[in-house]
């Protein structure tokens, strides 16, 4: 019965109720499950071709048609909504920790609520609410952080007691609970019917839909999509959208020029039961028990319950799959722990008769975030896939953002955390993906405290100094596949405790990082920053300078040897990249960008630089090891190693020079540290890396040199009010909004990308301001720490969120960075944010529901803070601006 029900969701219940659709589609697909002729031929050309008729493909088609695009063809190799969408549990949940995912889910919920009225198609929408349970205090803290985000978005929610949980759901065993979050507007839908409703609306708006049509590959010429080859012929097109779900990886690799889409399928299990003696109410809230690894919803008077086991089963690693996903084999032994968790949570189900255990594939990505955006290698090739079992929650919002991206060139929200370009080719190894998703699937329920790290797929990209640093106690994290040091464990410390330090409170590495920061300020430290993205741009004439002057907001026509901090902006003035550029010669430049910019920055340069054989752009990230020497004694170490004067008179700030260090020649030395502290970064050809490192460490012994990691760098840069791209800066943030007007030369003599938008902001003001907050009544030892994403309140009203935070060992206070908005109290309209508006407010930072007073500043503190002071002696308002 259950097997029949799942299939009937998309066939009998819906199609029988809508004979118009049946007449329309029968002519395209025939009436048999075997291949038959298609009376309706494919069009020879279209503006957009979408591959995949599940929730993602139909949502993209729906939103494109809503935005006025009509020349769209949607192709489905089987039947609409017959893939993973057909098996989806149908839970629409907005309780998401990441802001962009929360917004997608919230939009989806609103869309599905009105979709039935818009299309006449029954979607099964039922607003039941949801309850997420907490068995531990740490879990409850994570739910409180989510509640803070939901509240500021106007989504009703509350943290409730176990007793209230029992009132909302009488079958729940609450003996081991400490609390829960209740979101009353969360809903249930029939996911297949939602997909078919979206398809109906898209079809009514002119979208052509062809079932039983397989895409073999996408043709790409000169780096741009030109058409699609199918089993029924070719369609010329300008845009192709890969919404092929678990097949997206194979489809991406099917052409001569592969598009890497890193996702992998795992088996996903849920069971269906017969109705209870007293059938469950259809309005009973959905229950999510992450500590038990299960979810529970009502289903036709009975129960649908699944989960994310600790030992998942990857499948289709070799690329084998089915045209339409047939029900995989039941595996009760594998499902046993989840069934035990279900019966512990709902003991009354012991005597309930189980109808079926459903096993279906679900695709997961390497970082548990979905994949959307344009391919870095093929313009016009867009992707929306890898939903990590949240497809129905994200489907509406994700389809909207991708449609905006295709039509406008950018979406309406910052979707960088979901952008395909956050991955490189290195994450497309099938072995890597198989191993990573075996870790990812259990992590769907695991408690994720700040700064946790993946354990699989590690040591993939490493500095030449990796083994040397590892032997000295380095503890590692990974960024874009590159191993980077967090901090160094001193000899004699308990390594096991540090490796398993997971908390929302003061972490065990606090004193270790503090000693590294102290050394940076009083002596000299070395941080391996080899992971930073590095490009060389050169030309035979003035092409390099002219092109970069157009792409960057600062003036790069500086004397040879000077280093310029600048932004690479889009048309709206937002940061596509934040970087430092050294002019090596009249016709060559060296660009340093954040680690995770490697693919994105390369793509932006490739798409915006002129096609000119005399202009050369080379990714030299792998050619150079970067050592950051931070501290007042860095000048002494380098002077002795190079036999060259390194004082400010001879080597001014923001200067670059090739030097010899020890026996090694050709070391690019720059007088920057990315922290605001004095020092230098050495860009060393990799064959010299170990030699130079050893020389620096040996020479530095008499100056108190030691190794340091990125946690120390983070603390230093945040207390100096340095914004980092990807954390504080994004494509929706301009230099004018974050106090970087000095990096913009509006009058540099030539036009640059984003210039008009910046002129407008300069004349009319900005609608958000990057602000520094110092927590005033926060106890570092006892209170929850701020990490990022905490709501900011001004005079009791929400005005923005933090983007990054760290403990300042200099101020002996927590420092948060974030953006302040000015919302009209009556209309909610955004108003211009002035300096007076910032300075005249009383601020609080909300950490998991508890508000802490904070002092706001628009400028960093003076270097007078290099001397440590007791908290009660610090008068925060009395220091000069830097």
């Amino acid at each position: 019965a259950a097997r029949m029900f799942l299939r009937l969701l998309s066939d009998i219940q819906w199609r029988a109720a809508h004979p118009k659709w049946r007449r329309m589609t029968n002519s395209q697909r025939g009436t048999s499950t075997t291949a038959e002729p298609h009376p309706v031929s494919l069009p020879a050309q279209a503006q957009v071709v979408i591959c995949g008729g599940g929730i993602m493909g139909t949502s993209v088609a729906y939103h494109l048609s809503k935005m006025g695009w009509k020349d769209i063809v949607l192709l489905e190799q089987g039947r609409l909504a017959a893939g993973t969408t057909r098996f989806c549990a149908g839970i629409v949940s907005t309780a998401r920790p990441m802001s962009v995912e929360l917004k997608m889910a919230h939009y989806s919920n609103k869309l599905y609520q009105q979709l039935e009225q818009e299309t006449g198609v029954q979607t099964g929408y039922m607003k039941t609410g949801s309850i997420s349970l907490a068995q531990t205090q740490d879990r409850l803290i994570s739910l409180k952080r989510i509640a803070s985000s939901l509240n500021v978005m106007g989504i009703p929610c509350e943290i409730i007691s176990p007793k209230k949980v029992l009132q909302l759901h009488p079958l729940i065993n609450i003996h081991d609970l400490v609390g829960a979050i209740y979101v009353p507007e969360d809903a249930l839908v029939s996911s297949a019917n939602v997909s078919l409703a979206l398809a109906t609306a898209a079809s009514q708006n002119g979208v052509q839909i062809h079932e039983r049509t397989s895409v073999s590959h996408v043709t790409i010429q000169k780096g741009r999509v030109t058409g699609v080859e199918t089993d029924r012929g070719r369609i010329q097109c300008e845009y192709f959208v890969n919404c092929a779900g678990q097949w997206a990886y194979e489809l991406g690799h099917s052409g001569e020029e592969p598009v890497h889409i890193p996702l992998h399928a795992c088996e996903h299990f849920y069971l269906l039961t017969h109705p209870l003696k007293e059938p469950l109410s259809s309005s009973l809230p959905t229950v999510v028990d992450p500590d038990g690894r299960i979810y529970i919803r009502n289903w036709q008077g009975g129960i649908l319950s699944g989960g994310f086991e600790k030992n998942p089963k990857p499948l289709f690693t070799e690329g084998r799959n089915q045209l339409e996903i047939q029900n995989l084999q039941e595996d009760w032994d594998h499902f046993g722990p989840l069934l035990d968790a279900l019966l512990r949570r709902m003991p009354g189900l012991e005597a309930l008769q189980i109808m079926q255990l459903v096993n279906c594939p679900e695709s997961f990505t390497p970082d548990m975030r979905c994949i959307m955006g344009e391919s870095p290698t093929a313009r016009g090739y867009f992707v929306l896939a890898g939903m990590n079992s949240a497809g129905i929650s994200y489907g509406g919002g994700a389809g909207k953002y991708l449609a905006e991206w295709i039509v406008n060139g950018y979406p309406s929200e910052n979707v960088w955390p979901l952008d395909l370009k956050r991955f490189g080719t290195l994450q497309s190894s099938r072995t890597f993906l198989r191993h990573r998703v075996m870790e990812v699937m259990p992590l769907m329920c695991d408690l994720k405290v700040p700064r946790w790290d993946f354990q699989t797929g590690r040591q993939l990209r490493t500095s030449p100094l990796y083994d040397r640093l590892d032997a000295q106690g380095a503890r590692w994290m990974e960024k874009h596949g590159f191993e980077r040091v967090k901090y160094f464990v001193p000899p004699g410390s308990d390594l096991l405790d540090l490796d398993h330090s997971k908390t929302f409170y003061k972490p065990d590495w606090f004193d270790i990082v503090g000693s590294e920061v102290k050394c940076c300020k009083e002596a000299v430290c070395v941080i391996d920053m080899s992971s930073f993205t590095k490009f060389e741009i050169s030309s035979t004439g003035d092409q390099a300078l002219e092109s970069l002057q157009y792409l960057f907001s600062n003036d790069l026509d500086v004397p040879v040897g000077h280093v310029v901090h600048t932004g690479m902006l889009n048309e709206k003035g937002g940061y596509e990249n934040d970087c430092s550029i050294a002019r090596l010669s009249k016709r060559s430049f060296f660009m340093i960008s954040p680690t995770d910019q490697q693919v994105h920055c390369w793509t932006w340069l490739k798409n915006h630089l002129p096609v000119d054989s005399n202009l050369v752009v080379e990714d030299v990230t792998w050619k150079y090891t970067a050592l950051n020497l931070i501290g007042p004694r860095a000048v002494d170490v380098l002077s002795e190693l190079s036999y060259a004067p390194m004082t400010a008179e001879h080597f001014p700030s923001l200067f670059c020079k090739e030097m010899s260090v020890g026996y090694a020649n050709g070391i690019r030395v720059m007088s920057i540290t990315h922290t605001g502290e004095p020092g230098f970064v050495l860009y060393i050809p990799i064959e010299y890396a170990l030699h130079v490192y050893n020389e620096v460490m040996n020479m530095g012994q008499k100056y108190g040199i030691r190794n340091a990691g990125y946690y120390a760098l983070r603390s230093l840069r945040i207390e100096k009010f340095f914004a980092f791209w990807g954390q504080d800066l994004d494509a929706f943030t301009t230099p004018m909004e974050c106090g970087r007007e000095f990096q913009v030369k509006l009058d540099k003599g030539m036009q640059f990308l984003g210039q008009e938008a910046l002129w407008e902001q300069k004349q009319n003001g900005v609608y958000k301001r990057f602000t520094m907050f110092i927590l005033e009544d926060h106890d570092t030892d006892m209170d929850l720490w701020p990490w990022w994403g905490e709501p900011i309140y001004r005079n009791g009203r929400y005005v923005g969120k933090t983007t990054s935070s760290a403990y300042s060992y200099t101020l002996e206070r927590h420092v948060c960075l974030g953006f302040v908005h000015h919302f009209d109290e009556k209309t909610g309209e955004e108003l211009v944010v002035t300096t007076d508006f910032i300075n005249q407010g009383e601020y609080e930072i909300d950490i998991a529901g508890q508000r802490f007073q904070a002092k706001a500043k628009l400028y960093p503190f003076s270097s007078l803070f290099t001397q440590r002071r007791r908290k009660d002696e610090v008068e925060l308002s009395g220091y000069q601006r830097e």
Side-chain angles (χ1 to χ4, degrees):
R3 192 186 304 270
M4 287 295 294
F5 171 77
L6 289 166
R7 190 172 292 280
L8 293 181
L9 271 177
S10 57
D11 290 331
I12 296 175
Q13 286 184 357
W14 190 86
R15 295 178 193 270
H18 298 274
K20 179 180 178 182
W21 173 268
R22 187 176 65 235
R23 289 194 302 270
M24 180 178 67
T25 58
N26 277 347
S27 64
Q28 297 177 4
R29 62 176 174 83
T31 57
S32 167
T33 56
T34 58
E36 293 185 4
H38 299 258
V40 178
S41 60
L42 296 179
Q45 62 184 37
Q47 189 176 13
V48 184
V49 173
I50 302 169
C51 177
I55 185 67
M56 294 302 150
T58 54
S59 179
V60 173
Y62 170 86
H63 286 96
L64 283 174
S65 66
K66 283 285 184 180
M67 295 182 74
W69 284 27
K70 307 297 183 185
D71 189 12
I72 302 166
V73 175
L74 188 151
L75 305 177
E76 165 55 45
Q77 64 176 344
R79 294 167 301 170
L80 287 177
T84 301
T85 298
R86 175 163 61 102
F87 288 95
C88 179
I91 300 170
V92 183
S93 169
T94 53
R96 307 285 171 178
M98 184 175 292
S99 176
V100 65
E101 293 176 341
L102 190 159
K103 290 176 181 178
M104 288 195 302
H106 182 48
Y107 174 83
S108 297
N109 195 338
K110 292 192 296 183
L111 173 66
Y112 303 158
Q113 188 172 1
Q114 56 86 36
L115 199 57
E116 188 169 320
Q117 181 179 356
E118 178 184 347
T119 64
V121 178
Q122 295 181 2
T123 60
Y125 184 91
M126 174 68 70
K127 190 176 289 186
T128 61
S130 71
I131 308 171
S132 295
L133 310 177
Q135 296 182 30
T136 67
Q137 288 297 331
D138 270 349
R139 177 70 69 181
L140 188 59
I141 290 168
S142 71
L143 296 180
K144 288 178 177 178
R145 289 178 63 87
I146 292 173
S148 293
S149 295
L150 291 171
N151 284 329
V152 299
M153 280 196 63
I155 301 173
C157 73
E158 60 177 316
I159 297 296
I160 60 175
S161 67
K163 187 178 293 186
K164 182 65 179 292
V165 171
L166 191 61
Q167 293 174 4
L168 291 168
H169 203 306
L171 295 180
I172 294 296
N173 175 13
I174 63 170
H175 80 280
D176 58 347
L177 300 182
V178 297
I181 183 175
Y182 175 49
V183 187
E185 293 190 354
D186 280 355
L188 295 176
V189 295
S190 165
S191 52
N193 286 11
V194 167
S195 184
L196 292 166
L198 291 168
T200 297
S203 179
Q204 291 170 348
N205 286 332
V207 175
Q208 298 184 54
I209 299 176
H210 296 265
E211 297 177 304
R212 304 289 185 192
T213 306
S214 296
V215 174
S216 59
H217 67 273
V218 179
T219 57
I220 299 169
Q221 294 180 5
K222 296 181 179 179
R224 183 177 289 276
V225 168
T226 58
V228 176
E229 295 289 348
T230 78
D231 58 352
R232 296 173 54 201
R234 172 180 169 82
I235 305 176
Q236 288 185 321
C237 63
E238 299 176 48
Y239 300 94
F240 175 76
V241 187
N242 184 339
C243 295
Q246 63 164 323
W247 297 288
Y249 178 97
E250 280 75 19
L251 180 57
H253 281 78
S254 62
E256 293 182 2
E257 300 183 38
V259 173
H260 300 288
I261 305 167
L263 54 80
H264 196 293
C266 282
E267 296 182 27
H268 180 56
F269 296 88
Y270 62 79
L271 61 79
L272 301 166
T273 75
H274 289 285
L276 279 69
K277 288 184 179 178
E278 291 186 14
L280 291 178
S281 166
S282 61
S283 61
L284 207 61
T286 296
V287 174
V288 180
D289 183 3
D291 296 309
R293 318 192 73 80
I294 57 171
Y295 56 83
I296 309 162
R297 58 155 287 191
N298 67 74
W299 182 72
Q300 295 192 338
I303 289 292
L304 183 158
S305 179
F308 301 93
E309 62 274 24
K310 291 184 177 180
N311 56 333
K313 299 168 67 175
L315 73 166
F316 305 148
T317 302
E318 299 82 9
R320 291 180 286 107
N321 50 46
Q322 302 134 297
L323 180 63
E324 290 176 35
I325 302 171
Q326 306 301 321
N327 204 17
L328 301 170
Q329 295 298 310
E330 294 182 347
D331 189 339
W332 283 103
D333 289 338
H334 192 77
F335 190 74
L338 299 181
L339 180 58
D340 291 343
L342 171 62
L343 295 178
R344 283 194 300 271
R345 189 54 60 211
M346 297 180 70
L349 299 183
E350 285 279 3
L352 192 63
Q353 186 178 358
I354 293 172
M355 182 182 292
Q356 185 190 14
L357 179 63
V358 177
N359 179 3
C360 60
E362 181 70 60
S363 19
F364 296 87
T365 63
D367 59 2
M368 294 187 295
R369 304 197 297 262
C370 74
I371 297 172
M372 69 163 61
E374 189 174 19
S375 162
T377 57
R379 301 207 72 175
Y381 192 121
F382 285 83
V383 178
L384 185 57
M387 293 295 128
N388 300 282
S389 202
I392 195 64
S393 290
Y394 297 155
K400 173 180 181 285
Y401 289 159
L402 194 76
E404 291 171 345
W405 205 330
I406 295 169
V407 174
N408 300 327
Y410 46 85
S412 57
E413 290 287 341
N414 173 34
V415 296
W416 169 248
L418 314 177
D419 195 328
L420 173 62
K421 292 185 285 295
R422 73 187 187 270
F423 296 116
T425 57
L426 56 94
Q427 285 99 352
S428 287
S429 154
R430 290 305 267 176
T431 303
F432 167 83
L433 288 170
R434 181 181 177 88
H435 291 174
R436 176 56 68 85
V437 298
M438 291 176 71
E439 180 184 10
V440 159
M441 193 169 172
L443 279 170
M444 301 297 294
C445 289
D446 286 353
L447 181 67
K448 290 175 282 294
V449 299
R451 302 190 187 178
W452 58 273
D453 301 295
F454 288 107
Q455 301 304 308
T456 54
R458 298 295 296 272
Q459 299 182 33
L460 190 57
R461 302 174 71 198
T462 61
S463 158
L465 305 177
Y466 179 87
D467 290 338
R468 185 89 164 81
L469 301 178
D470 195 57
Q472 297 179 75
R475 313 321 284 165
W476 301 92
M477 60 181 177
E478 171 258 333
K479 183 87 165 181
H480 200 61
F482 214 114
E483 296 293 328
R484 313 203 303 182
V485 180
K486 295 188 283 190
Y487 50 81
F488 285 83
V489 178
S493 298
D494 190 329
L495 303 185
L496 190 62
D497 282 352
L498 280 166
D499 285 345
H500 292 85
S501 173
K502 296 182 178 181
T503 180
F504 290 99
Y505 290 89
K506 179 181 177 180
D508 290 343
W509 44 257
F510 178 82
D511 291 331
I512 293 175
V513 174
S515 64
E516 293 180 2
V517 168
K518 186 174 187 290
C519 187
C520 287
K521 288 183 171 293
E522 298 178 358
V524 56
C525 276
V526 178
I527 302 180
D528 184 346
M529 296 178 64
S530 303
S531 67
F532 271 32
T533 298
K534 299 173 277 288
F535 294 106
E536 288 181 357
I537 303 102
S538 59
S539 61
T540 56
D542 294 332
Q543 300 94 331
L545 176 62
E546 291 172 358
S547 300
L548 295 181
Q549 285 282 62
Y550 172 71
L551 288 182
F552 292 92
S553 59
N554 211 336
D555 189 358
L556 298 181
D557 192 6
V558 294
V560 171
H562 283 243
V563 179
V564 177
H565 287 314
T566 183
M568 185 166 70
L569 310 180
N570 53 38
E571 290 180 356
K572 291 185 171 291
Y575 279 96
E576 294 295 336
N577 182 17
D578 177 47
C579 59
S580 303
I581 299 181
R583 189 168 193 178
L584 302 179
S585 70
K586 287 190 67 175
R587 296 170 179 173
S588 64
F589 298 83
F590 185 51
M591 183 168 77
I592 302 100
S593 303
T595 301
D596 51 2
Q597 270 275 1
Q598 189 167 14
V599 177
H600 176 71
C601 184
W602 174 263
T603 305
W604 188 267
L605 289 172
K606 183 179 58 131
N607 291 342
H608 289 83
L609 288 174
V611 178
D612 187 340
S613 59
N614 295 315
L615 180 64
V616 178
V617 180
E618 183 183 3
D619 185 343
V620 295
T621 301
W622 63 275
K623 285 187 175 183
Y624 293 95
T625 296
L627 292 182
N628 196 351
L629 272 63
I630 304 175
R633 306 314 296 266
V635 62
D636 301 307
V637 174
L638 267 187
S639 293
E640 293 199 39
L641 279 175
S642 62
Y643 291 96
M646 302 295 295
T647 58
E649 298 79 39
H650 299 90
F651 209 113
S653 179
L654 295 178
F655 194 70
C656 174
K657 185 178 181 181
E658 280 205 358
M659 301 175 61
S660 298
V661 178
Y663 296 153
N665 288 318
I667 312 300
R668 290 177 183 169
V669 180
M670 296 189 192
S671 49
I672 55 174
T673 64
H674 307 285
T675 63
E677 300 295 330
F680 305 89
V681 180
L682 281 58
Y683 290 94
I684 310 160
I686 56 171
E687 63 267 31
Y688 301 146
L690 193 56
H691 167 75
V692 172
Y693 173 79
N694 288 336
E695 290 289 298
V696 166
M697 295 303 288
N698 290 335
M699 183 62 69
Q701 291 303 312
K702 60 184 177 183
Y703 299 109
I705 198 168
R706 64 176 291 171
N707 292 297
Y710 272 81
Y711 283 11
L713 184 143
R714 182 184 181 90
S715 175
L716 290 167
R717 72 94 176 169
I718 286 177
E719 74 178 21
K720 286 296 180 72
F721 206 5
F722 277 29
F724 266 29
W725 191 91
Q727 297 172 36
D728 311 298
L729 309 179
D730 56 42
F732 289 81
T733 303
T734 75
M736 304 301 187
E737 296 164 344
C738 61
R740 293 189 171 193
E741 298 92 337
F742 64 94
Q743 294 183 8
V744 176
K745 298 296 185 289
L746 291 169
D747 55 353
K748 66 178 179 179
M750 67 173 296
Q751 188 177 10
F752 62 86
L753 204 56
Q755 187 176 27
E756 290 184 14
L758 299 186
W759 266 119
E760 185 176 336
Q761 285 191 333
K762 184 177 177 67
Q763 293 168 351
N764 300 330
V766 296
Y767 291 90
K768 63 179 180 180
R769 286 288 294 270
F770 193 51
T771 309
M772 182 182 195
F773 298 94
I774 297 88
L775 298 190
E776 295 187 309
D777 60 344
H778 183 270
D779 188 320
T780 302
D781 295 319
M782 301 301 296
D783 289 329
L784 286 168
W785 275 30
W787 296 97
W788 59 272
E790 290 85 12
I792 303 167
Y793 289 86
R794 178 187 181 275
N795 299 343
R797 296 180 60 85
Y798 170 73
V799 291
K801 281 189 173 184
T802 64
T803 52
S804 58
S805 61
Y807 181 80
S808 167
Y809 295 88
T810 309
L811 303 174
E812 295 186 336
R813 306 274 180 104
H814 256 99
V815 177
C816 301
L817 308 182
F819 286 91
V820 171
H821 301 251
H822 184 184
F823 301 107
D824 185 277
E825 293 189 14
K826 294 181 179 179
T827 66
E829 178 188 359
E830 283 203 71
L831 305 175
V832 170
V833 179
T834 63
T835 301
D836 285 344
F837 179 82
I838 299 290
N839 292 335
Q840 293 172 6
E842 297 291 330
Y843 291 89
E844 295 172 303
I845 306 295
D846 180 329
I847 306 176
Q850 184 178 358
R851 296 189 189 181
F852 296 90
Q853 292 180 3
K855 183 169 184 61
K857 287 182 67 69
L858 287 171
Y859 301 92
F861 286 101
S862 163
S863 57
L864 289 174
F865 270 120
T866 52
Q867 298 180 359
R868 294 172 63 86
R869 295 165 179 246
R870 292 174 55 85
K871 291 182 185 178
D872 54 5
E873 294 175 351
V874 176
E875 175 53 53
L876 293 176
S877 61
Y879 286 92
Q880 300 172 355
R881 291 173 177 174
E882 203 174 49

